[in-house]
Amino acid sequence: MKSVLHPLRGAIAAFCASSALIAAPAAFAADYPARSVSLIVGYPAGGSLDLTARLLGEELGKRLGQTVVVENVGGAGGTIGAQRVARAAPDGYTIFLGSTNEMVIARMINTAVKYDSAKDFTALGIVASQPMLLAASKNSGVKTAADYLQKLRGAEPGTFNYGSSGVGTTLHLAGEMINQATSTRAEHVPYRGVSPLVTDLMSGQLDYGMLVLSSGLPQVRSGNIVALGLTENKRSPAAPEIAPLAATPGFESVDINLWFALYGPAGLPEPVAAKLRAVLDETLKSEAFRAKMQEAGGEVAKPGIDPVAYQAEETKKYGALVKAAKIEAQ
């Protein structure tokens, strides 16, 4: 009798165990989140990504019914924060607001970056974007994109320069896209942050600068620097008075922005990922969130964009720019 019942008991036990495993994700999702969620940002407080994270965290928290705590884990161009999330437990309690810099460009130019953003994260959705701004010093005598083009085309290579917040950043590559589109050569000058760059623009120590719109707009509106145009081929709701560079002959192919997207670690249970995608989708449809983002210089993404396909296309675009600019991995 034992020889018959023992296998039967084993089969029943196996069935119960498998049923529990099937039921676990659904139960976990129903309880998620049972405590606060950490939203990691790979940069110090005060920048455009940090501000977006704080606005997003507040909205996600309302919809999740738990506090979403923004944690600034700065260093190495955002990659330290990204690495922390890549190594986090895939339970939905550690999520990441990543940008073009650390999720697309970083691995192309920095051999120390070991994570693969396509494999080590669960993409949850595109959140928002900002155009970049080509700005000029008032001392340059340049007031429009056409003036810029005329001046650079009549100069020897190396005569003029543009600043960005660092080698291999989205701002640097936007400047290289402008060089390629216009067949001009403004030399890149990397800065350690936006503040010293703006200071040199205002004093005339720097001819031109690439800035994220939210960083440059206050100085443009106060008359301290001159806006030549936006890098995205459309006007921004945050600054409708500034035309896109692409509207000026010679700049037609310039179309690039800085985007922000929400991620979890790889292996995030699908019910949890689905819940986070749902609350993100609700947030993107919120007029209040849209208005706050516009005030901060950003534009909310349209709901329903496939973040995996979007990132793959961006990777191709930036890979081509890195190669053309001859930026070598360090």
Side-chain angles (χ1 to χ4, degrees):
M1 193 68 163
K2 284 183 180 181
S3 61
V4 174
L5 287 178
H6 282 182
L8 181 59
R9 287 173 184 161
I12 292 171
F15 174 78
C16 291
S18 63
S19 298
L21 286 172
I22 292 169
F28 184 69
D31 294 338
Y32 172 83
R35 53 185 170 83
S36 63
V37 175
S38 292
L39 176 57
I40 306 298
V41 177
Y43 299 90
S48 57
L49 190 65
D50 173 69
L51 178 55
T52 300
R54 292 181 188 282
L55 294 174
L56 177 66
E58 182 180 357
E59 294 295 327
L60 293 181
K62 290 176 187 175
R63 291 167 173 80
L64 289 171
Q66 290 286 351
T67 302
V68 175
V69 180
V70 175
E71 292 187 45
N72 299 92
V73 184
T79 60
I80 293 176
Q83 185 66 67
R84 174 169 161 181
V85 177
R87 292 175 175 170
D91 55 12
Y93 289 98
T94 304
I95 55 179
F96 183 58
L97 186 65
S99 74
T100 321
N101 288 335
E102 63 273 19
M103 301 309 289
V104 171
I105 303 170
R107 199 160 180 252
M108 298 177 185
I109 64 169
N110 187 353
T111 55
V113 176
K114 301 304 180 185
Y115 62 80
D116 183 331
S117 58
K119 296 179 181 178
D120 296 328
F121 296 85
T122 300
L124 298 170
I126 307 299
V127 176
S129 66
Q130 279 199 45
M132 288 160 279
L133 172 71
L134 176 61
S137 164
K138 291 192 296 182
N139 296 354
S140 69
V142 169
K143 296 183 178 179
T144 67
D147 292 344
Y148 173 91
L149 195 52
Q150 183 179 12
K151 201 160 190 175
L152 264 75
R153 281 186 171 168
E156 291 291 324
T159 303
F160 296 103
N161 49 51
Y162 75 93
S164 85
S165 56
V167 174
T169 61
T170 314
L171 293 165
H172 175 196
L173 294 179
E176 292 303 316
M177 176 180 276
I178 291 169
N179 280 342
Q180 292 173 37
T182 59
S183 299
T184 58
R185 184 71 243 168
E187 297 299 326
H188 178 236
V189 179
Y191 280 78
R192 304 189 91 174
V194 173
S195 293
L197 189 161
V198 171
T199 298
D200 278 3
L201 265 181
M202 289 169 58
S203 68
Q205 296 297 310
L206 179 68
D207 303 313
Y208 308 105
M210 293 301 311
L211 301 165
V212 176
L213 178 60
S214 59
S215 300
L217 192 56
Q219 299 302 333
V220 169
R221 287 179 170 165
S222 64
N224 292 323
I225 59 177
V226 180
L228 302 182
L230 301 180
T231 61
E232 202 168 12
N233 191 5
K234 63 179 183 178
R235 290 185 184 260
S236 168
E241 72 274 22
I242 304 176
L245 288 166
T248 299
F251 290 88
E252 291 91 346
S253 62
V254 174
D255 190 14
I256 192 170
N257 64 18
L258 173 67
W259 50 263
F260 311 131
L262 190 65
Y263 298 86
L268 202 62
E270 183 50 36
V272 174
K275 190 164 190 176
L276 286 167
R277 289 188 181 111
V279 296
L280 175 60
D281 191 67
E282 290 173 15
T283 298
L284 297 181
K285 293 174 181 176
S286 163
E287 287 300 323
F289 180 65
R290 187 176 299 276
K292 289 176 184 177
M293 282 300 303
Q294 183 174 318
E295 186 178 348
E299 185 174 1
V300 173
K302 294 179 181 177
I305 296 174
D306 180 346
V308 175
Y310 185 87
Q311 183 173 303
E313 286 301 311
E314 289 288 286
T315 300
K316 289 179 186 176
K317 178 170 72 179
Y318 280 98
L321 282 172
V322 167
K323 183 177 181 180
K326 298 179 180 178
I327 302 172
E328 296 184 2
Q330 300 295 315

